[in-house]
Amino acid sequence: MNDPAALRVDDYAGVAAQRERLAAAPARTAATFVPCGGKHDLMKLVLRELHIRDLAVIEAVAIEVDPGFTTLTGETGAGKSILIDALALVLGDRADSEVIRHGCTRAEISAGFALKPAHDAAKWLKEHDLFDDQECVLRRVVETDKPSRGFING
């Protein structure tokens, strides 16, 4: 498959089973998106990119987010909820191996955030020698036979 953003369906039974597992999962806390450019401290932390591999029905997708992005729209079934779930996982939401794409053994999600040095998160990263180049990359790996693992700038 040449287009990394394209969704691939291996077989209908696998997709139907995945949808059933996702529908049975507990409801997620609603996400709040804050527009860029104001005085609020959250505005110093901006999502710049999201990479997903083998999560739900997504084989691979890479999304670059422009400054000022505030809204995610699309047709029913386009995958908006999967993107939100991926972001929740990389931010520390509870992981379950059921989210791994049918026929795969692991899912990997990474999110890159632009981070101003004055932000509390940047200060914490500096204290732990993890801050570099005004960016923070969070990565989460969910495997079928191991506990999930999370990484900060690594």
Side-chain angles (χ1 to χ4, degrees):
M1 185 168 284
N2 294 333
D3 183 3
L7 300 180
R8 189 179 93 202
V9 177
D10 287 332
D11 64 338
Y12 180 76
V15 171
Q18 184 70 32
R19 285 187 181 149
E20 286 176 21
R21 287 192 296 268
L22 291 174
R28 305 270 190 243
T29 304
T32 302
F33 293 95
V34 180
C36 301
K39 295 180 182 178
H40 196 282
D41 195 43
L42 287 176
M43 293 177 200
K44 297 176 188 171
L45 181 65
V46 178
L47 178 66
R48 301 296 298 148
E49 59 189 1
L50 181 64
H51 298 268
I52 304 168
R53 180 169 300 281
D54 297 327
L55 180 73
V57 296
I58 295 176
E59 179 180 12
V61 67
I63 299 169
E64 291 185 19
V65 180
D66 291 328
F69 172 78
T70 59
T71 307
L72 180 63
T73 64
E75 294 182 21
T76 300
K80 299 176 298 293
S81 295
I82 296 172
L83 295 178
I84 297 300
D85 288 345
L87 190 55
L89 279 171
V90 81
L91 291 171
D93 203 2
R94 187 175 186 89
D96 185 331
S97 64
E98 297 294 315
V99 300
I100 299 171
R101 189 168 67 95
H102 179 71
C104 298
T105 59
R106 73 186 253 163
E108 186 168 335
I109 304 106
S110 65
F113 296 90
L115 190 59
K116 296 195 177 189
H119 193 280
D120 289 342
K123 293 174 187 174
W124 184 90
L125 290 168
K126 286 178 193 173
E127 289 171 9
H128 293 88
D129 293 325
L130 294 171
F131 189 66
D132 187 29
D133 201 27
Q134 296 189 356
E135 182 179 53
C136 177
V137 178
L138 302 178
R139 185 167 60 100
R140 183 78 175 269
V141 177
V142 181
E143 297 184 81
T144 56
D145 58 349
K146 299 177 185 172
S148 70
R149 295 173 290 149
F151 304 87
I152 300 172
N153 287 347

